Structures are given as C-alpha cells and as structure tokens.
Amino acid sequence: MYLNELARKPDELKGVGPKTSKALAKAGVHSVADLLQYYPRSYEDRQTSVSLSEAEDGKRVNTIITVLGQEYFGWGPKKTLKVWVKDDTGSATLVCYGRNFLADKLRNGTTHRLTGLFQYKFSELQSSSFEFEEVIPGGEMSRNFGRILPIYSLNAELTQGVLRKALDSAMTGFAQYLEEELPLEVIKNNGLLPLSEAIKNIHFPENPEKMRLAAETLKYRELFYLQLMVGRRAWERRSQTRDRANLTGVWVEKLLKNLPFSLTKDQEMVLQEILGDMSGGTSMARLVQGDVGSGKTLIAFLAVLYCRERGQQAAFMAPTEILARQHGENAAKLLEPLGIRLGFLTGNLKDKNRKYLLEALKNGEIDLLIGTHALFTKDVHFPDLGLIIVDEQHRFGVNQRLALKKKGKSPDFLLMTATPIPRTLAMTAFGDLDVSLIKTMPPGRIPIETHLCRDDREEKVFEWVRREIDAGHQIYFVFPLIEESEKLNLRNAEEGFRLLQEKIFPGIPMTLIHSRIPEEEKRSRMGLFTSGEAKILAATSVVEVGVDVPNATCMVIHNAERFGLSALHQLRGRVGRGKSASYCFLIFGETLSEDGKARLKVMKESTDGFRIAEEDLKIRGPGDLTGKLQSGFLQLKIADITLDTKLLTQAREDAFHLVQQDPGLLSPDNKGLREVLERCPPYPSIFLESG
Ligand code: ADP
Ligand code: MG
C-alpha cells in the first residue's frame, strides 16, 4: 500500500469517533494518508534526561524525583500546596496552584517521573507547570513519559491527546505496511530512512537522531517529487523535436553593426545560448534574468532577428501598455530600419484599425507584433509564429502563456525578467527552463546612492531634489496609494501631488500618473515627462517597470516600508540610467518596526538585485512569488524551499539523473515513483504562474 492510497476516513481508526473525525476534517485531515502526513509542529523531549541542576530559565527538566515534604502557603481559598522534591543533582519545589488535591499523590518518600519548566524565585528553584507519574517498582511507564512527544497544531476541537491517539492507531494499523516509494538506491545514497520508518519517527521518534532523519527523509521525499515533475516536464519538451535551422546571423549582424556600442560579455554569451536554442532541434524555453537596464530588451530584439532569418513571425508581449509602447518605440528605432515590419496591438486598438492590423498579420505582412495581453485574444492569427517573447514574465498567468503558445506550432519561448528569481525558486517554479544571466551592466553607469529618511525630516530630501532640478534633472515621487484611505495613514499620490505642486515646488512643471487615469491621458502625461517638459513625475508604483528616462536622477519613495524589497529595487532602477550620479530616497513613517528598518537597510547597502530578492524571500517567505504554485501542486507539508536549499539541490540532482536514466519510470525499481506520480495533481505546464 502506498501512502497516498490510504484514502480511508480517519473514523475507521480505532479510537477515532465522529466528533474527532469532524475536528480532523476542519484541520484538513480527511483520510488516513492526510493524518499520517499531519506532521508535528514541534516536540517535547521527555526521553533525554535533564536534571534539576541543569534547569536554567526556560529549559525543560525531565528527571526522576523523590518527595521530601509538603507545606502550604496563603490562607482561605488561596491556600496553596507546595511540595519539596529532589533528584540526584539538587532540590526544588513544586507549587500546586489550584491543585491541592496533588497532596495525595505527591506523598512523602514517593518517587516520580517529572517534567516541567522551572524558574528561580526568591532563590528557590520552582515550577508551577509540571507533569509527573509515580514510579512503581515493576510497573510500566505510561505513554506520556520516557519518549519524545509530538506537539501538533491544534484547532478548537483538537487536543494533543486526541491527535496522538489517532496517530497511534494509524501507525499500528497502517504505517508499518507502507510500501516504499523512492528507489532504494536514492534512499541508500542519501542515508534516508525507509518511508514507513520515517513516518513512524516523525510522529513518535525513537530518539533525537531518528527524529532528525525522519524529517530529512520526508522533506527530501517532497522535494524529490517536485523535482521529478520538473525534470520530466523538461524531458517531455526536449523529446518533441523539430528540424534544425542553419542560422548564419545575417540579420543579427545588421543590427549589431548599427549600434554605437558593442555587446557586453554577458549579452554576448546569452546571445550565443539563444542562437544554440533557436537553431536547435527542440524548441527554446529560456528565461533571461538581468537587472533593469542590463540590456535584455536588446537581446530580445536580436532573437527576433534570428526568427526573421528562419522566415517566421515573432510576438513580443509586455505586462503594461506603457511598457509595450516603449518596446514599440525602441523596435521602431532599431528594427524598422532593417526592414522588420512592426505591428502594435493593445486592448485600445479598436474596430477598423484593429481589423486592418489583424488582416496584415494573417497575410504575413508583419514580422514582429508587439503588445499587451491583447496578443492572445482569439482573433489574432499568425501564419507561422516562431518566437514568443514575454517581458517581466512573472506578471503573466500560465493560461495566458498557453493561449499564446497555441498560436504557433512549437514556438520558441524567451522570457525576460528584471525581478531576480532566487536560486531556490528558479529551481522549482521555473525549474524546467534554461536560465541565462546578465550580471554585468553596460559600461559607464554610475551606481545609485540610496538614503533612508524619516518622514519628519523629508525637508532635507526636498532640498536635495531642488538642487537636482536646478541642475536640469528630473525626479520621480512614488506613493503607496492613489487616494486617501480611512484605514491607512499613508501618503497618497493625489494628496502628495497637490502638496508638491502647491507647497513644496510651486512653479515647477510636474505631472501625475496612476492606474485610475485613463490610458490615453496617462500616455500624454508620460509623454510630458519623457520629453523633459515635466520636471517631476508623481506616481504610484505603476512606474515600477520599464519606464526609461535617462535624465531622471532622483527617486523619492514615500512610505517605503510599504513596498516589497523587490518592488523598491525595481523603482530604484528607474534612475541611474544616464550619465549623471543618481539618488534614491526611501522615506519611512515614524512607526517603522525593527524588521522594517532592517529591510530598508538592505536597500541602502545593496544594489545587487539577487541579494535583495534573496532577502525579500527570507523575510516574506516564498508565498508572494510562488503564489499559485504554493497552493497548487507544490503543497509542501514539511519542506521549505527557502530553508532546505541543500536538500533541494540534492533532490534536483537525483531526480534529473533518474529522468535521464529512465524518463518513463519504466524500470521495476521506479514502480513506486510511477504509482505516486499518477496520483499527483498534474504539473501545470513548463511555465508556472508566480504572481
Ligand atoms: P533592460 O531591458 O535589461 O532593462 P535595455 O535593453 O532596455 O535593458 O537597455 C537599457 C539601455 O542600455 C538601453 O538604452 C540600451 O540601448 C542600452 N544598452 C544595452 N546594451 C548595451 C551595451 N552593451 N552597451 C551600452 N549600452 C547598452
Ligand atoms: Mg526592460
């Protein structure tokens, strides 16, 4: 019997009645399999002895005591029993608040197993929170002592006792018959426990070492399955072959020749990787990671030219209209002169214009279609779509990507992101993509200086900004909200803008954008800032990605503590794009927590997007980035991809190795894996939604 085959209801277990069964269901436990995988949240070690002499503040004593004497203190209803006890190393008192009836049990001269939390009070070692049971010569120890007790997460109806009893039943009834899932080789090489033993020891550990091993085994198991799915998906993709293309790079050379600069080493390398993919016998699925301004867009355009050389069309999808438009403008500058025919499609293109564009596309008169998610609406037909580029891919859902993919036969995929994806996530959420990194920036960039400032001293920031404006530069002001909120005492963009306009910088031309301003109007206001007419752009985080105004040298972020680190990094990336020194001011509210301060300090100290993303992941957990992923197939019950990095890496290596040896899992050694995977929810696609 495999673990996840144990679909029986918990109430079939001895000692589990309808009431307990209902309480378990509330905790998400609907079957014996669920119950066995309802892992303890922590343990109480009543096995390792800890003598009274070792009792420090907070450390739990676990020893054998003899009762020395009893006394009472207080009067009337407050009269309380106090019992003097000793073990081999020292003595202490047990204070029995509300438990005077213990006098009968803790009689002078009797011996007991005792566990409790002790404290020095009035130079006396005392406990009022203790459990004990009498040691009777020849008698048996109860289940509550002499072992490591599991502590479970509870709800209103569940108690530790109920859970322990249910698990005891499940253990004797089922756990010992569990069939192995992982190949023996994998268990042996990693020094793991057999599954049945791991399950037994995670709930009722024989000793601390077995407990550790059980946890490691079960974590490994989860991570191994995850990576097995990732590995199999990658293998599936690679097994769908196509004709190789012999690309000479004529079109690419044309663009490179026109550029006033040469590619950085990293860009060069990524371009080679893309060439390898695009001329290869299987379709490309590559994620290019590079900080804002590292030159990814240029790489994407070069890929379009390889696609053009193959005689196919390309689609370039951006998450917002502003960003799509910017790519469109760049493409017009760089690609159109080479004879690449461009189309631009967003939701705002309507009626006749839309019809003409789609006609042209269908007739093969467009080589590169740039736009927003409008690209994958039903009536968009490409004669031969060969390349799909998705910018800031984590903002697109998996369904959207699939819809676009269906518009070609087996199109190449190029995903670009400036949100650095921490290594552990890259190995899971995006685990079956090939990853390229652009680490170095184009030469000549001056690093951005970051300053933290409390909001009652923001006048200093304004002075600085004034000097920058006088020097002819432009400024971003970012606010966490669009308009006033009753609940949150935060600066909002509407009010902030009014203040800037009327009080702080009267007479300086400025403009405001946020998501509630109509697209048309937003575009024209953006235009004011891009052209340099407006000196200040006040905005919400809509300027987070893509906006490129090299003359802007200051980024001022109000209530910076409200933003995620990665978002702050993206915002900061809006400046430092020109030749002048640039500054980022993070203004925070007075009520900033220690944690919040630590986060902002990371921003001050680092401009390394990867380090910032790792910190972000540590602070916030993977939930944000993985979103759907966590709630979907990746239901990790015990492993944590942010903490169990070493296990994750090992599991990945083992799983990928196995897929290489036996992709169909056909060998008898892999029967367990095959059975288990058949019961797993399907791994959604090569692209997982993550935001
Ligand atoms: P990203 O898409 O990574 O944010 P872009 O491709 O938009 O970056 O490049 C940012 C700016 O740097 C653009 O103005 C681009 O022309 C320029 N650029 C790109 N590659 C280089 C390079 N190798 N040397 C100098 N400038 C470059
Ligand atoms: Mg970009």
Side-chain angles (χ1 to χ4, degrees), residues 397-416:
V398 57
N399 293 332
Q400 296 170 315
R401 282 182 215 125
L402 283 181
L404 195 50
K405 189 176 170 196
K406 284 203 196 99
K407 296 191 182 293
K409 279 196 237 41
S410 63
D412 285 324
F413 259 106
L414 186 63
L415 313 182
M416 302 192 300

Side-chain angles (χ1 to χ4, degrees), residues 9-48:
K9 294 241 148 50
D11 58 10
E12 291 183 35
L13 292 170
K14 214 179 100 214
V16 177
K19 211 176 121 213
T20 304
S21 177
K22 237 173 93 188
L24 284 171
K26 264 197 196 159
V29 174
H30 304 285
S31 65
V32 173
D34 290 343
L35 181 63
L36 288 172
Q37 292 172 90
Y38 195 74
Y39 301 130
R41 138 176 88 72
S42 65
Y43 298 89
E44 195 178 304
D45 185 353
R46 295 190 180 178
Q47 183 179 65
T48 313

Side-chain angles (χ1 to χ4, degrees), residues 261-264 267 291-298 442-443 445 577:
F261 50 76
S262 50
L263 296 182
T264 61
Q267 282 175 316
D291 226 334
V292 279
S294 61
K296 295 180 299 295
T297 310
L298 181 59
R445 301 267 163 86
R577 314 193 127 229

Side-chain angles (χ1 to χ4, degrees), residues 59-73:
K59 186 160 175 190
R60 177 170 285 278
V61 161
N62 185 51
T63 189
I64 301 212
I65 51 102
T66 307
V67 178
L68 296 176
Q70 301 182 345
E71 65 177 52
Y72 289 88
F73 63 92

